[in-house]
Amino acid sequence: MSDDSWEEQFKQFLRKTGENVRRTGEDVRAEAQRLFDAATDPEKQQRVRDRLKELTVWARKTAQGVAGAVEEAASKAETAFQRAADKVSEATEKATGAQRKSFRSDAAGAPGETDTAARVRSAARKPAAAAKKASKPRVKPGKPGPKSAGKPRR
Protein backbone atom coordinates (compact mmCIF):
# COMPACT_ATOMS: atom_id res chain seq x y z
CA MET A 1 0.00 0.00 0.00
CA SER A 2 1.39 3.35 -0.93
CA ASP A 3 1.56 6.38 1.29
CA ASP A 4 -0.87 8.29 -0.97
CA SER A 5 -3.67 5.73 -0.66
CA TRP A 6 -3.14 5.48 3.10
CA GLU A 7 -3.36 9.26 3.43
CA GLU A 8 -6.52 9.28 1.31
CA GLN A 9 -8.17 6.63 3.50
CA PHE A 10 -7.19 8.56 6.64
CA LYS A 11 -8.73 11.77 5.20
CA GLN A 12 -11.97 9.93 4.38
CA PHE A 13 -12.08 8.54 7.92
CA LEU A 14 -11.63 12.03 9.39
CA ARG A 15 -14.37 13.47 7.14
CA LYS A 16 -16.86 10.75 8.15
CA THR A 17 -15.99 11.13 11.80
CA GLY A 18 -16.35 14.92 11.60
CA GLU A 19 -19.78 14.57 9.97
CA ASN A 20 -20.87 12.13 12.69
CA VAL A 21 -19.66 14.50 15.41
CA ARG A 22 -21.50 17.44 13.77
CA ARG A 23 -24.75 15.43 13.51
CA THR A 24 -24.45 14.28 17.12
CA GLY A 25 -23.79 17.86 18.25
CA GLU A 26 -26.87 19.08 16.39
CA ASP A 27 -28.98 16.30 17.95
CA VAL A 28 -27.70 17.18 21.42
CA ARG A 29 -28.37 20.88 20.84
CA ALA A 30 -31.93 20.17 19.61
CA GLU A 31 -32.67 17.90 22.61
CA ALA A 32 -31.27 20.48 25.05
CA GLN A 33 -33.42 23.19 23.48
CA ARG A 34 -36.52 20.96 23.71
CA LEU A 35 -35.85 20.23 27.41
CA PHE A 36 -35.23 23.92 28.13
CA ASP A 37 -38.47 24.91 26.43
CA ALA A 38 -40.38 22.26 28.39
CA ALA A 39 -38.85 23.44 31.66
CA THR A 40 -39.70 27.08 31.01
CA ASP A 41 -43.24 26.35 29.82
CA PRO A 42 -45.53 28.01 32.44
CA GLU A 43 -48.27 25.43 31.91
CA LYS A 44 -45.94 22.51 32.63
CA GLN A 45 -44.40 24.32 35.59
CA GLN A 46 -47.87 24.79 37.06
CA ARG A 47 -48.64 21.08 36.60
CA VAL A 48 -45.42 20.18 38.42
CA ARG A 49 -46.25 22.57 41.27
CA ASP A 50 -49.76 21.12 41.61
CA ARG A 51 -48.40 17.59 41.65
CA LEU A 52 -45.85 18.54 44.32
CA LYS A 53 -48.64 20.04 46.46
CA GLU A 54 -50.64 16.80 46.16
CA LEU A 55 -47.58 14.80 47.09
CA THR A 56 -46.92 17.03 50.11
CA VAL A 57 -50.50 16.67 51.38
CA TRP A 58 -50.32 12.88 50.95
CA ALA A 59 -46.97 12.70 52.77
CA ARG A 60 -48.32 14.73 55.71
CA LYS A 61 -51.42 12.55 56.04
CA THR A 62 -49.35 9.40 55.84
CA ALA A 63 -46.84 10.64 58.41
CA GLN A 64 -49.67 11.59 60.81
CA GLY A 65 -51.27 8.17 60.34
CA VAL A 66 -47.99 6.42 61.05
CA ALA A 67 -47.38 8.57 64.12
CA GLY A 68 -50.86 7.73 65.43
CA ALA A 69 -50.32 4.02 64.85
CA VAL A 70 -46.95 4.12 66.63
CA GLU A 71 -48.46 6.02 69.55
CA GLU A 72 -51.30 3.52 69.82
CA ALA A 73 -48.89 0.57 69.71
CA ALA A 74 -46.72 2.15 72.40
CA SER A 75 -49.77 2.70 74.61
CA LYS A 76 -50.85 -0.94 74.20
CA ALA A 77 -47.34 -2.15 74.97
CA GLU A 78 -47.20 0.03 78.08
CA THR A 79 -50.54 -1.37 79.27
CA ALA A 80 -49.39 -4.94 78.64
CA PHE A 81 -46.13 -4.41 80.53
CA GLN A 82 -48.00 -2.80 83.43
CA ARG A 83 -50.41 -5.76 83.64
CA ALA A 84 -47.51 -8.23 83.52
CA ALA A 85 -45.69 -6.35 86.27
CA ASP A 86 -48.85 -6.35 88.41
CA LYS A 87 -49.28 -10.11 87.94
CA VAL A 88 -45.65 -10.73 88.87
CA SER A 89 -45.98 -8.65 92.05
CA GLU A 90 -49.21 -10.46 93.00
CA ALA A 91 -47.55 -13.83 92.47
CA THR A 92 -44.52 -12.73 94.50
CA GLU A 93 -46.76 -11.51 97.32
CA LYS A 94 -48.67 -14.81 97.35
CA ALA A 95 -45.45 -16.83 97.39
CA THR A 96 -43.98 -14.68 100.16
CA GLY A 97 -47.17 -15.00 102.20
CA ALA A 98 -47.14 -18.81 101.81
CA GLN A 99 -43.50 -18.98 102.91
CA ARG A 100 -44.26 -16.87 105.98
CA LYS A 101 -47.13 -19.16 106.97
CA SER A 102 -44.92 -22.21 106.44
CA PHE A 103 -42.11 -20.67 108.48
CA ARG A 104 -44.48 -19.78 111.32
CA SER A 105 -45.90 -23.27 111.47
CA ASP A 106 -42.38 -24.79 111.54
CA ALA A 107 -41.23 -22.41 114.25
CA ALA A 108 -44.31 -22.93 116.36
CA GLY A 109 -44.08 -26.71 116.10
CA ALA A 110 -47.01 -29.04 116.30
CA PRO A 111 -50.11 -27.88 118.13
CA GLY A 112 -49.72 -28.47 121.82
CA GLU A 113 -45.92 -28.85 121.51
CA THR A 114 -43.93 -27.21 124.25
CA ASP A 115 -40.98 -24.90 123.78
CA THR A 116 -38.64 -27.64 124.94
CA ALA A 117 -39.97 -30.06 122.31
CA ALA A 118 -39.36 -27.47 119.60
CA ARG A 119 -35.73 -27.12 120.77
CA VAL A 120 -35.27 -30.87 120.71
CA ARG A 121 -36.63 -31.05 117.18
CA SER A 122 -34.26 -28.26 116.11
CA ALA A 123 -31.29 -30.00 117.72
CA ALA A 124 -32.18 -33.22 115.90
CA ARG A 125 -31.64 -31.44 112.60
CA LYS A 126 -28.13 -30.26 113.49
CA PRO A 127 -26.41 -33.69 113.49
CA ALA A 128 -27.59 -34.28 109.92
CA ALA A 129 -25.80 -31.12 108.83
CA ALA A 130 -22.68 -32.17 110.74
CA ALA A 131 -22.76 -35.57 109.03
CA LYS A 132 -22.77 -33.92 105.61
CA LYS A 133 -19.69 -31.90 106.50
CA ALA A 134 -17.91 -34.97 107.86
CA SER A 135 -18.48 -36.90 104.63
CA LYS A 136 -16.12 -34.60 102.71
CA PRO A 137 -12.56 -36.00 102.42
CA ARG A 138 -10.00 -34.31 104.60
CA VAL A 139 -6.63 -33.34 103.21
CA LYS A 140 -3.54 -34.20 105.24
CA PRO A 141 -1.15 -31.33 105.86
CA GLY A 142 1.59 -31.07 103.23
CA LYS A 143 -0.33 -33.09 100.64
CA PRO A 144 -2.21 -31.53 97.74
CA GLY A 145 -5.95 -31.75 97.83
CA PRO A 146 -8.17 -33.27 95.15
CA LYS A 147 -7.96 -31.52 91.78
CA SER A 148 -10.93 -29.40 90.86
CA ALA A 149 -11.87 -27.71 87.63
CA GLY A 150 -11.88 -23.94 87.43
CA LYS A 151 -10.03 -21.23 89.23
CA PRO A 152 -8.62 -21.81 92.73
CA ARG A 153 -10.44 -20.09 95.57
CA ARG A 154 -8.68 -17.28 97.37
Side-chain angles (χ1 to χ4, degrees):
M1 194 183 237
S2 69
D3 286 339
D4 290 336
S5 71
W6 185 85
E7 286 179 14
E8 188 60 35
Q9 285 180 350
F10 185 67
K11 287 178 184 178
Q12 286 177 353
F13 170 76
L14 289 177
R15 273 188 229 117
K16 287 179 185 176
T17 305
E19 289 172 12
N20 287 340
V21 168
R22 253 191 310 273
R23 269 189 248 125
T24 304
E26 289 170 4
D27 291 345
V28 168
R29 225 178 279 123
E31 185 66 18
Q33 186 63 44
R34 187 185 67 77
L35 289 172
F36 179 76
D37 291 343
T40 57
D41 182 18
E43 186 177 303
K44 287 186 179 181
Q45 286 179 353
Q46 188 59 42
R47 273 190 277 159
V48 169
R49 283 190 203 108
D50 292 343
R51 190 73 178 123
L52 281 173
K53 285 180 185 177
E54 290 174 19
L55 184 62
T56 303
V57 168
W58 173 83
R60 269 196 201 118
K61 286 180 182 177
T62 304
Q64 288 172 349
V66 168
V70 167
E71 186 176 328
E72 183 179 338
S75 174
K76 286 181 180 179
E78 182 181 4
T79 303
F81 283 128
Q82 186 63 40
R83 286 181 186 160
D86 291 345
K87 287 182 181 180
V88 167
S89 12
E90 287 175 13
T92 305
E93 288 174 10
K94 286 180 182 177
T96 306
Q99 286 177 348
R100 286 183 189 152
K101 288 179 184 176
S102 172
F103 179 72
R104 287 182 191 144
S105 64
D106 284 350
E113 184 179 45
T114 62
D115 188 37
T116 308
R119 282 192 211 141
V120 169
R121 208 170 18 91
S122 174
R125 291 185 194 146
K126 289 182 183 176
K132 281 185 181 179
K133 285 183 182 178
S135 67
K136 291 185 180 178
R138 289 191 165 193
V139 179
K140 293 184 181 178
K143 295 205 175 196
K147 293 185 178 179
S148 63
K151 295 182 179 178
R153 292 186 180 179
R154 293 184 183 187

